[in-house]
Amino acid sequence: MSHIDHTHDPKAQSWVASANTAGTDFPLQNLPYGLFRRLHSNESARVGVAIGEQILDLKLAAALGKWSSAVQVLLQPLAEGDLNSFMAKSVAERRALRHALFDALREGSAQAGALQAALVAQGAVELFVPCKINDYTDFYTGIHHAVAVGKLFRPDNPLLPNYKWVPIGYHGRSSSIVASGVPLRRPKGQLKPPTADVPVFAASKRIDYELELGLFTASGNALGEPIAMQDAEQHMFGLTVLNDWSARDIQPWEYQPLGPFLAKNFGSTISPWIVTMDALEPFRCAFERPADDPQPLPYLDSAANRAEGGYEIELEVWLQSAKMRAAGEPAARLVRSNFRHAYWTLAQMLTHHASNGCNLQSGDLLGSGTQSGPKPEEAGSLLELTQGGKQPITLPNGEQRLFIEDGDTVILRAFAERDGARRIGFGDCACTITPAL
Amino acid sequence: MSHIDHTHDPKAQSWVASANTAGTDFPLQNLPYGLFRRLHSNESARVGVAIGEQILDLKLAAALGKWSSAVQVLLQPLAEGDLNSFMAKSVAERRALRHALFDALREGSAQAGALQAALVAQGAVELFVPCKINDYTDFYTGIHHAVAVGKLFRPDNPLLPNYKWVPIGYHGRSSSIVASGVPLRRPKGQLKPPTADVPVFAASKRIDYELELGLFTASGNALGEPIAMQDAEQHMFGLTVLNDWSARDIQPWEYQPLGPFLAKNFGSTISPWIVTMDALEPFRCAFERPADDPQPLPYLDSAANRAEGGYEIELEVWLQSAKMRAAGEPAARLVRSNFRHAYWTLAQMLTHHASNGCNLQSGDLLGSGTQSGPKPEEAGSLLELTQGGKQPITLPNGEQRLFIEDGDTVILRAFAERDGARRIGFGDCACTITPAL
């Protein structure tokens, strides 16, 4: 099923020079979609494709480039700023545009001259949430996170009995999803430490990040019509980096019996570029369950999923405190993890979600849940890293953290790297927490 | 704060004769908003106001009626089929349109001749979800439901310790909210009876309704900016009847630790008319906590909320089986309850939701949770009525039910009635469950 073609050729270079540097997140092989507006302009938001340190403005590209009539049709919604309509198109159509953009941006393309005027520097724009997110669902596929957090509450029985059977998920809040760079205010909420008799309404003292990837859906399904495992990939558009911000002191008091609510919905941050599934083809990997674990029920199983349902994507958490920023010190990396540790695949998340007939729509966001690795130092949240807020971590400048302080900027990063493929990056998912009201 | 004016005069009559009959849901004093399309037409959906057995088509009304320029501005988004933009307007603006429509539809209005051509019979249209629902949240304000359901799982400790402090809520799925009349397919899901070793994926055998009201928000709030109790009413647009369909055998296996998911998101049904808060003004009532209960924390308390934060709205559940339908037998009423039993008011739901800075948007739907009354026969779900699926109920034709069978139509109804006020109804919230795939 894996679809490697000339757009994955690691030797291919772009006439946009910055796309050819070794460390770029956005080489010619990536071509992720985003929504931007030129700073100091009155333009409405436009869809663009990141290439090196530039953005190809698809409104201008549609007007200035030479495209086949089929590609012009594909470009039309994008030129109008409507990514959702393009996301709903078929795999073949989406791939056709990838090919057209790849060829147009490739070194030696006859389009270089015309499209030069369709480029805008990434530093000269504001980036937004790239599409209309109709519904946001967060899964819980990080088994090492589930075990580590479970241990804090139930030392003898950290993993609930449903975990290895059900891709656990719950509905999140779509309105408060913001793009990288938008600050979020520390929330207030009902706090009731175990020792207190009654709750108080006060600012959260335990703000935490969660290191996740988010899947944007392509075409949806009609209400009442499930999506079979073998069809799931057609409904996958691309991935983003997701920080599912959490208030750890609001969560325990509010979440029984119906799940997290205000502990989560004060804001979630995503990286503003959607890296397409096509760009990630070279990084697929086998999805294997430990032999002792139950195998997925038939509706969540397929040979293709076992052979290549996983994705090897490096994940990182960085932190820069206000003090570090003032001193001109760079962010420090706290953690590295990898998406290959997920207990359920993207296809299983999607198929499970629609298995009862729930209708997905193009532009829905499905979070992966916190992607902690098996080692304690690969933890995807401070709750885990600090053992429930008990063991502080120390930053390079000597500052200590149990949870996030006001002025801290958390930067989540993701990239895929493998011999024989060009490195594909996601861009930063960064957010600064500002003081409570 | 209660705002009673001439639009609440119970003696006022309409020139639309069917609005003056005793039992109508839609007298001149109601004027609820909906979205409709004439059957067998190619028109796009239009916003209308129900009046008796008719609908005032606001696109035609804007063109044919005589309106002040201020009212014309208010009518413009509605004439374009965009209810959300109107919902976001101020209380004074929304009230201004109510007054204009009331006066235009009142007996003796000089507009009667012109607006006659803007009427369409309710029987000649299809009704839709009335606005774009960006996010759907379901609360759990029915304390008698919470106790009854809690008893099934925890006989010694039915109500969790947070219940009387936190207006418990969780995020639902907006894409699968459908208007009255749209059938829903019985979902499949992972079922694991307590006696089974492993789950199976099969059709749910325990489909249940939940009797709720839904609050549609008016204007929203910016991310990070809470809504104070004294401002909450400005953000309330109106109410609908809501059936939060539930699969009782999917729920217990999937819902730990993050709450209900596929047990709920296969579909939720709403009545297609939004009854405005203005129409419900005469039915406000005091909101009182039992003296022994904790009083609301200050952020959830206000004198106005205590004096008149509640609403007396009668709620009913009716059922018509396929066999009853085939025999020409009418639906049978299973239950009556009342919204005054809610443990938290609409204002408290809304203020709590935004208390952490979560941004509400115009057209969000906030469900009340199942509104069971204090008596067992006032239960708002079959789970309660049948004592956890153990004691069947008997329909008038002798059929028995533990849960909903294929072909059953569940009809939820709501109305407000009080001496000195005209009866205000909501229209049916009806849905038939069809067989699983």
Side-chain angles (χ1 to χ4, degrees), chain A residues 165 173 175 265 356 359 364, chain B residues 173 175 190 265 356 359 364:
Chain A
W165 296 96
R173 178 85 192 173
S175 72
N265 67 13
N356 67 345
N359 54 328
D364 285 342
Chain B
R173 178 87 192 172
S175 71
Q190 287 196 25
N265 67 13
N356 66 344
N359 55 330
D364 285 342

Side-chain angles (χ1 to χ4, degrees), chain B residues 271-341:
Chain B
S271 59
W273 296 104
I274 308 182
V275 176
T276 64
M277 302 317 297
D278 267 330
L280 294 167
E281 280 289 314
F283 308 99
R284 300 178 70 151
C285 61
F287 165 70
E288 280 164 25
R289 281 283 172 83
D292 294 347
D293 281 5
Q295 291 307 300
L297 289 178
Y299 82 102
L300 292 175
D301 197 15
S302 79
N305 191 60
R306 273 175 266 140
E308 53 176 12
Y311 287 83
E312 291 210 27
I313 300 172
E314 295 278 333
L315 303 169
E316 298 180 339
V317 181
W318 298 67
L319 191 147
Q320 186 187 45
S321 70
K323 202 167 163 186
M324 291 162 76
R325 196 160 42 249
E329 293 160 8
R333 188 171 63 201
L334 305 186
V335 156
R336 296 183 66 170
S337 184
N338 195 295
F339 186 50
R340 70 167 173 270
H341 300 305

